[in-house]
Amino acid sequence: MARVYNFSAGPSMLPESILNRAAAEMLDFEGSGQSVMEMSHRSKVFDKIAKDTEALFREVYNVPDNYKILFLQGGASLQFAAIPLNLMNKNKKADYVLTGQFSTKSYKEAAKYGEVKAIASSKDENFSYIPKITKEDVSEDADYVHICFNNTIYGTKYPYIPDTGDIPLVADVSSCFLSEPLDISKFGMIYGGAQKNVAPAGLTIVIIREDLIGNARQECPSITDYQQVADADSMYNTPPCWCIYMCKLMLEWIKTTGGMEAMKERNLKKANILYDYIDSTDFYINTVRKEDRSMMNVTFVTPNEELNAKFVTEAAEAGFVNLKGHRSVGGMRASIYNSMPIEGVEKLVEFMKEFEEKNR
Ligand SMILES: *Cc1c(COP(=O)(O)O)cnc(C)c1O
């Protein structure tokens, strides 16, 4: 069986060792006589999986003690509404920074619940850079400031953590979760879907400072009220059991391969291999401002649309799949999340070189 290198923006690759382990445990998890897929979430066996996952997350990602880790469903997209419903609770105002499609979606969703202000945007240059935000840009009466830390579609990432003073900073980290060490204490809350870096699709993770919990708005659905979910240890209702188990395997993998520092080193190495090659030729162009380049999503174009299409087709035939850029930006995008092996990127660059030689 030949496995492909999957450069999809999500769901994405998982380490083969994890897939093999899950396969080996599929029919009988640790002598329980059941698959994790079949287990009651109230069973002792699953309760241990859930608790171990949380403890491991805290350890591996260095989550401070005064932050809750919540395991939810509904994707990052449900959080676009859950955030204002939980946190837009004092002045019913919030600041948003617009750096692409997801941040714009979250801004529009929040506008249903209060007064939202776009305090900065990079739309003027097709979201190819990250605006510099200072404390002075933040509204004094904002209940929180929302940013999208890594912009999956445009291939940009904040090279800094904005200082918002006493106003809690909330960040969508869907496409950079667990990709490098992060000083979580600088944020009021971070959140993301797991399907890019952490686990299969179906799990959403919220990490939130405890003092921000407990003042959800009256109309906030219980299922997404952080207090109620935290009080129930993320089992207010049935959690995505299988995904939580896969998340645990992923965390174990990160831990045994050197932890977050080593993860960053590998991710940076992959990104540099690609960017260095793109920068060395005028055949491929990356239009993102250099200091704002994403380590996870690398966008590039060839000299014309026809060649872009040809590239995507021929790459797929050679075993490099899902390289087509998002429909709103065109071109190509290589998503090189945690589980993409270094050799996948090296081989892609080999392919890019050959393609250039044949088509320039
Ligand atoms: C993929 C993605 C989303 C959407 O996530 P869902 O889990 O599909 O709701 C939101 N924000 C960012 C930055 C993403 O990359």
Side-chain angles (χ1 to χ4, degrees):
M1 174 202 54
R3 277 176 58 81
V4 293
Y5 291 107
N6 179 11
F7 292 88
S8 167
S12 51
M13 297 183 80
L14 288 163
E16 243 174 71
S17 62
I18 292 182
L19 296 175
N20 281 325
R21 166 98 179 263
E25 292 179 339
M26 181 59 78
L27 295 184
D28 178 13
F29 175 78
E30 293 185 357
S32 65
Q34 311 167 53
S35 167
V36 177
M37 282 189 184
E38 304 169 299
M39 261 171 211
S40 163
H41 62 292
R42 305 283 179 204
S43 66
K44 269 209 176 105
V45 189
F46 185 75
D47 188 60
K48 182 169 180 339
I49 294 175
K51 291 212 164 73
D52 288 352
T53 309
E54 207 223 287
L56 205 52
F57 212 112
R58 209 170 271 287
E59 179 192 339
V60 169
Y61 212 23
N62 203 13
V63 178
D65 288 344
N66 61 327
Y67 283 68
K68 291 274 187 206
I69 306 176
L70 309 178
F71 297 96
L72 305 161
Q73 302 194 50
S77 302
L78 179 58
Q79 295 309 309
F80 295 169
I83 290 161
L85 283 165
N86 278 273
L87 303 181
M88 211 190 257
N89 52 18
K90 290 193 197 89
N91 301 319
K92 301 213 156 103
K93 290 182 181 175
D95 284 351
Y96 277 71
V97 180
L98 307 187
T99 50
Q101 238 180 59
F102 290 118
S103 57
T104 304
K105 268 191 181 171
S106 58
Y107 166 78
K108 286 185 178 159
E109 192 70 18
K112 294 180 182 174
Y113 303 102
E115 209 178 295
V116 291
K117 188 175 165 198
I119 56 166
S121 167
S122 52
K123 193 167 188 228
D124 56 342
E125 291 180 32
N126 198 27
F127 299 121
S128 61
Y129 71 100
I130 297 292
K132 306 270 176 290
I133 307 298
T134 65
K135 241 193 274 193
E136 285 65 49
D137 297 317
V138 175
S139 310
E140 268 171 33
D141 55 353
D143 288 334
Y144 62 87
V145 179
H146 181 279
I147 61 170
C148 180
F149 209 45
N150 183 82
N151 296 279
T152 323
I153 295 173
Y154 301 88
T156 62
K157 182 186 171 249
Y158 279 74
Y160 70 103
I161 300 175
D163 177 5
T164 54
D166 293 335
I167 316 255
L169 177 64
V170 175
D172 179 352
V173 298
S174 291
S175 49
C176 58
F177 234 147
L178 289 166
S179 62
E180 62 180 335
L182 185 66
D183 184 353
I184 294 169
S185 71
K186 295 262 174 24
F187 300 85
M189 164 178 163
I190 61 171
Y191 69 99
Q195 67 273 22
K196 283 146 194 176
N197 262 321
V198 187
L203 172 64
T204 311
I205 297 158
V206 165
I207 302 178
I208 182 166
R209 214 172 63 214
E210 277 167 1
D211 63 284
L212 297 174
I213 301 181
N215 295 301
R217 284 158 61 152
Q218 191 272 332
E219 68 267 38
C220 179
S222 304
I223 194 176
T224 195
D225 175 338
Y226 301 145
Q227 181 73 62
Q228 295 199 45
V229 174
D231 287 348
D233 289 330
S234 295
M235 293 203 201
Y236 176 83
N237 70 329
T238 316
C241 302
W242 170 257
C243 296
I244 290 171
Y245 156 73
M246 290 298 286
C247 176
K248 176 170 168 276
L249 296 188
M250 187 69 188
L251 290 162
E252 284 170 355
W253 179 78
I254 294 174
K255 189 177 166 181
T256 54
T257 53
M260 288 317 310
E261 288 291 344
M263 196 69 255
K264 178 181 186 177
E265 219 173 280
R266 293 198 296 276
N267 284 331
L268 202 54
K269 185 169 174 188
K270 288 183 282 179
N272 284 338
I273 290 171
L274 257 176
Y275 285 124
D276 285 350
Y277 176 60
I278 291 169
D279 290 343
S280 74
T281 158
D282 58 4
F283 186 78
Y284 299 103
I285 309 276
N286 166 276
T287 52
V288 170
R289 202 179 278 177
K290 265 192 187 167
E291 66 265 30
D292 300 334
R293 283 172 165 179
S294 167
M295 187 169 67
M296 299 275 99
N297 312 97
V298 179
T299 54
F300 56 95
V301 292
T302 66
N304 62 60
E305 287 296 334
E306 209 178 307
L307 281 177
N308 289 344
K310 191 174 177 204
F311 181 97
V312 171
T313 306
E314 290 184 7
E317 284 163 4
F320 309 100
V321 304
N322 292 318
L323 279 161
K324 193 172 193 298
H326 191 270
R327 59 191 176 280
S328 60
V329 289
M332 274 73 70
R333 169 180 52 181
S335 295
I336 47 173
Y337 298 124
N338 285 348
S339 310
M340 170 62 65
I342 289 174
E343 90 233 15
V345 177
E346 286 168 345
K347 286 181 182 165
L348 174 64
V349 166
E350 282 306 306
F351 172 83
M352 288 169 76
K353 281 182 188 162
E354 284 165 26
F355 186 85
E356 175 180 345
E357 277 157 26
K358 281 187 221 143
N359 295 285
R360 76 155 43 248

